[in-house]
Amino acid sequence: AQSVAQPEDQVNVAEGNPLTVKCTYSVSGNPYLFWYVQYPNRGLQFLLKYITGDNLVKGSYGFEAEFNKSQTSFHLKKPSALVSDSALYFCAVRVFSGNTPLVFGKGTRLSVIA
Amino acid sequence: SQTIHQWPATLVQPVGSPLSLECTVEGTSNPNLYWYRQAAGRGLQLLFYSVGIGQISSEVPQNLSASRPQDRQFILSSKKLLLSDSGFYLCAWGPSFTRLSSTDTQYFGPGTRLTVL
């Protein structure tokens, strides 16, 4: 079975500081990993995904994520946080089988303080 | 480009009343379609997904049902709502399943906020 863990319910960071939102995964094959962001009362917006190749993936709004196979992690990062980055962030995974929906983590709430 | 619509945006219903939420996708054909529920602004629970007209997979047995009467239409229903059905309902679509579709992204609609009183 495949699963995703987001160990932090809440992450607080000061505006202008770097931010990291953690994600670890557990799968039996090669993982395909995704990050989404959700603003209040909105649907999820796709940020980025890792399929293969370079372990550092760049996405929307200045976010990037680093795939680490040995640590089974896919942490979301941004060099300088903005107040507008405050939102709920979801990590998701799918293995190479094709016929399964994404499996989502429980989400991490990011608060960027001015 | 593809777009996904959900309506209504918000809904307040009494316990025991029926429910019908609608989701439609434009700009693509034969999409995979998904219904999720999000309680208390946190994790997503996959309720149903569909790979084609009339084909519904149920992930969690409960008071809800889903139907796909047309290729790009996905409906979530209930005959009698419970208090526990309150939540934020999200519809999503993704490209149809193929051998390589594990890399495909799911795209979400704006959601419906359901409150059962």
Side-chain angles (χ1 to χ4, degrees):
Chain A
Q2 52 199 22
S3 65
V4 167
Q6 293 182 244
E8 302 157 316
D9 287 344
Q10 175 92 31
V11 171
N12 298 320
V13 64
E15 186 176 29
N17 283 1
L19 70 86
T20 298
V21 182
K22 295 179 180 178
C23 171
T24 59
Y25 63 89
S26 175
V27 299
S28 57
N30 289 325
Y32 300 121
L33 295 153
F34 302 75
W35 274 103
Y36 287 80
V37 60
Q38 184 183 31
Y39 297 100
N41 295 311
R42 298 290 190 89
L44 276 66
Q45 295 179 31
F46 168 71
L47 280 178
L48 52 81
K49 66 180 177 182
Y50 170 80
I51 304 302
T52 187
D54 193 346
N55 289 343
L56 186 63
V57 179
K58 294 188 182 297
S60 306
Y61 313 121
F63 284 93
E64 57 189 27
E66 185 168 12
F67 173 66
N68 188 318
K69 189 173 183 178
S70 62
Q71 296 185 6
T72 62
S73 67
F74 189 56
H75 300 332
L76 182 70
K77 300 180 180 182
K78 188 173 182 181
S80 179
L82 301 173
V83 172
S84 57
D85 293 328
S86 298
L88 188 57
Y89 290 81
F90 290 94
C91 183
V93 68
R94 184 191 280 134
V95 294
F96 184 69
S97 67
N99 292 328
T100 56
L102 289 174
V103 174
F104 285 85
K106 62 180 176 62
T108 297
R109 191 167 301 282
L110 172 68
S111 291
V112 181
I113 304 163
Chain B
S1 64
Q2 300 86 7
T3 55
I4 179 169
H5 304 280
Q6 288 186 245
W7 63 89
T10 61
L11 191 59
V12 180
Q13 292 284 95
V15 169
S17 64
L19 173 73
S20 181
L21 302 181
E22 190 165 344
C23 170
T24 59
V25 180
E26 296 177 355
T28 187
S29 60
N30 194 32
N32 296 322
L33 297 171
Y34 311 86
W35 277 113
Y36 291 86
R37 179 168 60 198
Q38 185 178 32
R42 292 313 302 267
L44 299 174
Q45 179 186 30
L46 178 63
L47 301 175
F48 303 95
Y49 71 96
S50 171
V51 300
I53 295 174
Q55 302 178 60
I56 309 293
S57 296
S58 175
E59 292 296 302
V60 183
Q62 52 197 310
N63 187 41
L64 302 170
S65 62
S67 62
R68 185 170 176 173
Q70 300 181 43
D71 181 45
R72 290 168 289 177
Q73 184 185 32
F74 205 23
I75 296 173
L76 183 69
S77 303
S78 174
K79 291 182 180 178
K80 288 186 177 181
L81 282 169
L82 306 172
L83 287 174
S84 58
D85 292 324
S86 293
F88 193 48
Y89 287 82
L90 291 159
C91 182
W93 78 273
S96 56
F97 286 137
T98 65
R99 187 177 64 85
L100 298 177
S101 67
S102 299
T103 64
D104 290 333
T105 302
Q106 286 178 204
Y107 299 95
F108 285 79
T112 294
R113 173 75 58 192
L114 172 65
T115 303
V116 182
L117 301 174

